[in-house]
Amino acid sequence: MFYAESITKSFGSDEVLGGVSFTIGDGERVGLVGPNGAGKSTLMRVMAGDDAPDTGSAGHRGGDLEFLRQEAGLEATNTVLEEMWLAFPEARAIERQLEDLSAEIATGEGDLDALITRQAELFERFEALDGYRIDKRIGRVLAGLRFAPDDAAKRCGEFSGGWQMRIALAKVLVHRPDHLLLDEPTNHLDQAAQDWLGEELSSYPGTILLVTHDGSFHDRVVNRVLELRDGRVTSYSGNYTDYQRQKAAKLAAQDAAAARQEREIGRQERFIERFRSKATKATQVRSREKALEKVERIERTRSEREVHFELSAAGRTELEVLAAEHVGHQYEDDEVVLIDASLHVERGDRVVLIGPNGGGKSTLLRILAGELTATQGAIEWAPRARLGYYDQHQDEALDPSRTVLDEVRSVADGQSDGALRKVLGRFLFHGDDVFKPVSVLSGGERSRVALAKFLIRPANVLLLDEPTNHLDRATQRKLVDALEGYDGTVICASHDPEILDRVATRVFEVRDGECLELEERRKLPVALRS
């Protein structure tokens, strides 16, 4: 089981957790939800023992624990298979002892009977640890997360950041611990891998505490929801949809109770004001005044703080925005990602690139953005095209030693601090929030800073690589709304079904080195709709 008992945690004057208490029973699958910056990752780190609470206690009782952090934390020189075996330290140690014993027995030296007896003991312990089936278990998990059969022999450092997070996730899952802490496991997963993970967790026998901004994934996996907001935790039974329904009913009831209380307080105040100067009513007036002083006021529900921004193209491009012909790319390790990818884009198109992770979507976007030089082919942009590029790991490129304001100022091209603070206010950085160092921000807050940096630069062509990763649901919705109404041109790689359904006017699949349009997904560009 997991437990938290009156834990508090502050960073400077900012209280993130304020007396949080809950228990999660054995076998429960619980979703942890809340807005970016609410402290979800902080709570997960406290539960795992990575951070100590200021007061109170938290952790797990009985069994072992694995924690998927938002950083992969892999050994770059290990192969994927070697990294997986790190999840089984005792079995790995026994395997090495058996190898040494076999070599010693083969020499014929030493006490042969003692060596054979020790070997038998180790064989028995290895069997008890299910050691003979570990490779099979590793293969099943890697296949479920869409790794190719020969990926197991590759070194972890050869993989992109998104694939390294998959390796970290696989390493947690192959261990099959009694307790799982999963912080954003669905980021960087394509739909097939998400589907497999959902099935895997739905049948998981252990206890799970899960953070994800994907409500549909919560629905598939969890049977209880904890909401972290304003430093406190509230528990709701059922899945994410049940939580939303219960919360809406709770807020409606709270507002109704507040309204009834306000009417009664108003009635009492009118009586007091009317009869304050009448001696015959003095006792009643004093009694009612004292009663009002003791009333615990019911607060009306506050509207959720949400980001607020609009996207507008900086100038108009020519009709033919992009001609990419026969683009190919091969990395220094001889990995061929693109072979013959061609893409023609017109003004107002909103192109969405889909395909398996590792298929070349990010590579193609980096080439189009000028971040990477193609090994073959030609790229021609319209003369008036002004590119804005958002990398899926944009938040990782932030300088942790800078403040939020300093980070945005670094790309602001001379704009005043007042103007920058106004922009940051739209991304929910108000008052002294702009002076927070990037190092203390949550993953979602860093993503909002990265998004603010991206949008502050004028552009009329947006190149976006998984832009909704790490954003909370409200911010994702606002971004999709803004992209849907954008009057410029968009080329976006995304697994987000809302971007596909609402934003895309053209969909291309990047697979097997090519970029092929799915004609049945083509829509009229927004600029040409009536």
Side-chain angles (χ1 to χ4, degrees):
M1 64 172 285
F2 288 115
Y3 70 93
E5 298 174 353
S6 303
I7 61 172
T8 63
K9 184 70 176 178
S10 298
F11 296 97
S13 61
D14 185 16
E15 183 182 69
V16 179
L17 305 175
V20 169
S21 296
F22 61 85
T23 59
I24 299 173
D26 291 341
E28 280 196 287
R29 299 188 303 274
V30 178
L32 178 62
V33 303
N36 284 147
K40 298 186 297 297
S41 293
T42 298
L43 178 56
M44 296 284 268
R45 290 194 299 271
V46 169
M47 299 297 295
D50 288 4
D51 289 347
D54 297 334
T55 62
S57 60
H60 71 284
R61 295 190 177 101
D64 52 355
L65 168 76
E66 287 286 351
F67 178 25
L68 178 72
R69 299 164 177 82
Q70 290 193 13
E71 303 81 29
L74 307 176
E75 179 56 58
T77 58
N78 279 348
T79 67
V80 172
L81 185 59
E82 288 169 340
E83 194 70 26
M84 294 300 103
W85 268 92
L86 292 179
F88 308 97
E90 186 179 358
R92 190 60 170 163
I94 290 174
E95 197 173 49
R96 288 172 177 165
Q97 290 178 57
L98 285 169
E99 290 171 0
D100 293 340
L101 276 174
S102 295
E104 197 171 346
I105 290 170
T107 64
E109 299 176 0
D111 187 339
L112 191 59
D113 288 340
L115 291 173
I116 292 174
T117 299
R118 179 57 179 158
Q119 186 182 54
E121 291 172 350
L122 290 175
F123 277 136
E124 185 177 346
R125 180 57 183 161
F126 195 69
E127 173 67 29
L129 293 170
D130 207 24
Y132 297 108
R133 284 176 284 276
I134 287 176
D135 278 328
K136 183 177 180 180
R137 189 191 303 182
I138 290 171
R140 185 187 70 82
V141 172
L142 290 178
L145 291 175
R146 316 299 286 177
F147 285 89
D150 59 352
D151 283 343
K154 294 180 181 178
R155 300 195 183 280
C156 295
E158 296 177 28
F159 291 86
S160 67
W163 278 97
Q164 288 191 24
M165 285 306 304
R166 286 202 198 199
I167 296 171
L169 175 59
K171 184 178 173 182
V172 166
L173 294 175
V174 297
H175 184 192
R176 293 186 72 78
D178 300 291
H179 303 88
L180 269 178
L181 292 171
L182 301 173
D183 195 356
E184 299 285 5
T186 58
N187 281 349
H188 314 296
L189 296 186
D190 56 28
Q191 193 58 53
Q194 284 192 32
D195 291 344
W196 179 87
L197 179 61
E199 292 179 8
E200 182 78 0
L201 296 181
S202 296
S203 60
Y204 203 82
T207 307
I208 299 173
L209 182 58
L210 164 70
V211 172
T212 178
H213 295 303
D214 188 337
S216 62
F217 191 81
H218 270 305
D219 272 345
R220 296 177 59 183
V221 174
V222 307
N223 47 34
R224 182 179 163 204
V225 171
L226 296 178
E227 182 187 54
L228 178 60
R229 185 176 297 275
D230 298 327
R232 305 281 179 173
V233 159
T234 306
S235 178
Y236 296 86
S237 60
N239 62 18
Y240 187 79
T241 299
D242 296 329
Y243 147 73
Q244 289 182 305
R245 184 173 59 250
Q246 292 172 49
K247 183 182 177 183
K250 179 181 177 180
L251 295 181
Q254 181 177 332
D255 279 342
R260 288 194 300 271
Q261 185 186 64
E262 287 166 5
R263 287 195 297 270
E264 177 60 20
I265 289 173
R267 191 176 70 83
Q268 297 295 340
E269 288 176 339
R270 287 192 296 275
F271 178 91
I272 291 168
E273 190 62 31
R274 181 179 178 184
F275 296 108
R276 186 184 299 279
S277 59
K278 289 197 173 185
T280 58
K281 299 284 187 179
T283 300
Q284 293 182 53
V285 166
R286 284 196 299 272
S287 175
R288 296 193 185 200
E289 285 178 331
K290 289 179 180 178
L292 284 182
E293 289 173 1
K294 296 177 181 178
V295 169
E296 187 174 338
R297 304 296 174 108
I298 301 172
E299 291 187 10
R300 286 186 177 269
T301 59
R302 293 174 294 172
S303 59
E304 302 265 339
R305 290 201 314 163
E306 293 186 345
V307 300
H308 175 71
F309 60 90
E310 295 179 355
L311 293 175
S312 181
R316 187 176 172 88
T317 68
E318 293 77 3
L319 178 61
E320 298 289 336
V321 175
L322 168 68
E325 300 282 0
H326 309 295
V327 174
H329 190 72
Q330 181 174 356
Y331 286 99
E332 292 180 359
D333 60 3
D334 294 331
E335 180 187 7
V336 177
V337 180
L338 299 173
I339 300 172
D340 186 15
S342 295
L343 181 64
H344 288 255
V345 179
E346 295 186 350
R347 182 179 61 233
D349 280 343
R350 297 199 299 261
V351 172
V352 174
L353 306 177
I354 64 171
N357 277 9
K361 303 185 299 297
S362 295
T363 299
L364 180 57
L365 278 173
R366 291 182 65 201
I367 290 170
L368 297 180
E371 300 284 318
L372 194 64
T373 302
T375 51
Q376 69 179 49
I379 308 290
E380 185 175 353
W381 285 102
R384 293 199 297 269
R386 303 179 69 179
L387 308 184
Y389 173 56
Y390 185 87
D391 186 274
Q392 64 173 305
H393 304 296
Q394 196 99 347
D395 60 317
E396 297 175 12
L398 303 179
D399 186 340
S401 66
R402 286 176 174 168
T403 66
V404 171
L405 181 60
D406 288 338
E407 194 64 37
V408 174
R409 189 191 290 129
S410 68
V411 297
D413 197 24
Q415 295 187 48
S416 69
D417 281 359
L420 297 182
R421 295 188 68 162
K422 186 175 180 181
V423 170
L424 286 169
R426 297 181 189 141
F427 287 87
L428 307 185
F429 294 101
H430 301 288
D432 288 343
D433 290 344
V434 303
F435 302 118
K436 284 184 178 179
V438 170
S439 59
V440 305
L441 300 181
S442 70
E445 288 174 316
R446 289 197 301 271
S447 291
R448 291 208 308 269
V449 174
L451 197 57
K453 281 183 65 177
F454 168 70
L455 295 178
I456 207 167
R457 289 171 286 200
N460 51 29
V461 180
L462 304 183
L463 302 171
L464 308 168
D465 194 1
E466 300 290 356
T468 55
N469 274 359
H470 298 296
L471 298 178
D472 62 31
R473 191 68 194 89
T475 308
Q476 288 178 10
R477 187 176 63 251
K478 289 289 187 180
L479 178 58
V480 171
D481 289 345
L483 290 174
E484 188 178 24
Y486 182 57
D487 56 348
T489 304
V490 177
I491 305 174
C492 174
S494 181
H495 297 126
D496 191 320
E498 270 203 286
I499 287 182
L500 276 169
D501 293 340
R502 292 179 50 197
V503 176
T505 60
R506 301 173 67 190
V507 177
F508 287 76
E509 184 174 26
V510 182
R511 180 188 290 272
D512 300 327
E514 296 184 290
C515 182
L516 302 175
E517 185 166 12
L518 306 181
E519 290 293 339
E520 69 274 13
R521 298 299 302 268
R522 188 160 188 164
K523 304 174 188 175
L524 193 64
V526 66
L528 302 179
R529 294 180 197 172
S530 57

